[in-house]
Amino acid sequence: MGVRVVVVDDHRLLAEALASALKLRGHRVLAATAPAAGAAELVIGRAPEVCLLGTATPAEPGVFEPVVRIKRERPQIAVVVLGPVPSPRGIAAAFAAGASGYVRQDERIEGVERALAKARAGEPAIAPQLLQGAFAELLNPAAQPDDEGSRLLRLLTPREVEVLVRVAEGEDTRLIAAGMAIAPSTARTHVQRVLMKLGVGSRLEAAALAARTGLLDRAGPLRGVGEA
């Protein structure tokens, strides 16, 4: 049985080519587009079973914001990312944003179809060897010569460390302000400074980066120590 799908890719020609291939194999392609402003609205409005999101830069800040919005407004829509050989940061960001799967751009069309079917069924759509390779670095952050977690931690003040921990725990600005006994505007400023120092574009990416580098494990004992 064919899958109702919307295809989004960085390059419109690639999106249209993939859409044509899927149509020939019996799938119902509701739209094929490049991810300009409004791509998330299109996916939400068309309400496919699966959105196939192609991107050449999965580790770039903010690239998965459309996924966050789609899952927030239409959680029943599964999103499968089609990208290059995944870096740990890229694949972690995709799943942290709510994606159901990750498929390499050089995968055969049969592999893309299998991913669509798994995502529609609510199953993780990623090859075991891809997952194992991408997360090898995540599982052993301390083994890296340049300890990124410690390096990032040194960029933050103790106050900002506490803010990051609270962001990673899912607290919004209001809860952060209440928990730290500061004004919401001050909490918002702290959050923006943390995002800027970590070089990410959203709270979700900050949390994913902190988890990937082991920063949160190091930050725990420092939480609430000192003032900015």
Side-chain angles (χ1 to χ4, degrees):
M1 181 179 177
V3 178
R4 288 188 296 107
V5 59
V6 167
V7 180
V8 180
D9 198 281
D10 285 339
H11 302 288
R12 184 177 297 277
L13 289 178
L14 293 180
E16 293 174 350
L18 184 55
S20 296
L22 290 172
K23 285 179 182 178
L24 289 174
R25 300 179 73 87
H27 301 284
R28 184 182 176 192
V29 180
L30 304 180
T33 184
E41 288 88 342
L42 174 66
V43 174
I44 292 167
R46 295 297 178 90
E49 293 172 305
V50 182
C51 169
L52 186 59
L53 176 68
T55 178
T57 56
E60 286 295 312
V63 73
F64 294 124
E65 286 300 325
V67 182
V68 175
R69 182 172 175 194
I70 290 167
K71 298 304 293 184
R72 181 176 66 241
E73 299 192 23
R74 291 287 189 274
Q76 69 274 22
I77 298 176
V79 179
V80 174
V81 174
L82 185 67
V85 177
S87 68
R89 181 177 179 183
I91 199 168
F95 280 92
S100 299
Y102 193 108
V103 179
R104 282 176 49 163
Q105 288 170 330
D106 58 358
E107 179 64 75
R108 296 172 61 88
I109 190 65
E110 294 85 358
V112 176
E113 285 187 294
R114 286 193 295 271
L116 294 179
K118 284 186 175 183
R120 180 176 63 178
E123 302 173 15
I126 183 169
Q129 63 270 28
L130 254 187
L131 189 64
Q132 182 179 5
F135 279 93
E137 181 182 331
L138 296 180
L139 297 176
N140 300 283
Q144 300 302 312
D146 177 19
D147 191 333
E148 190 178 2
S150 295
R151 181 183 67 80
L152 292 174
L153 192 60
R154 289 194 295 270
L155 297 177
L156 306 177
T157 68
R159 198 68 150 168
E160 289 164 352
V161 168
E162 181 173 1
V163 168
L164 176 60
V165 172
R166 291 180 180 276
V167 166
E169 290 174 349
E171 294 187 8
D172 58 19
T173 301
R174 179 181 55 82
L175 289 176
I176 292 172
M180 298 178 65
I182 57 178
S185 59
T186 303
R188 193 173 299 110
T189 297
H190 280 312
V191 170
Q192 290 304 315
R193 287 180 59 84
V194 168
L195 299 185
M196 179 185 68
K197 288 184 176 183
L198 295 183
V200 296
S202 70
R203 298 180 185 214
L204 195 60
E205 288 182 283
L209 176 61
R212 177 180 74 81
T213 59
L215 194 157
L216 290 179
D217 294 334
R218 296 168 175 80
L222 299 179
R223 181 174 175 174
V225 178
E227 296 289 334

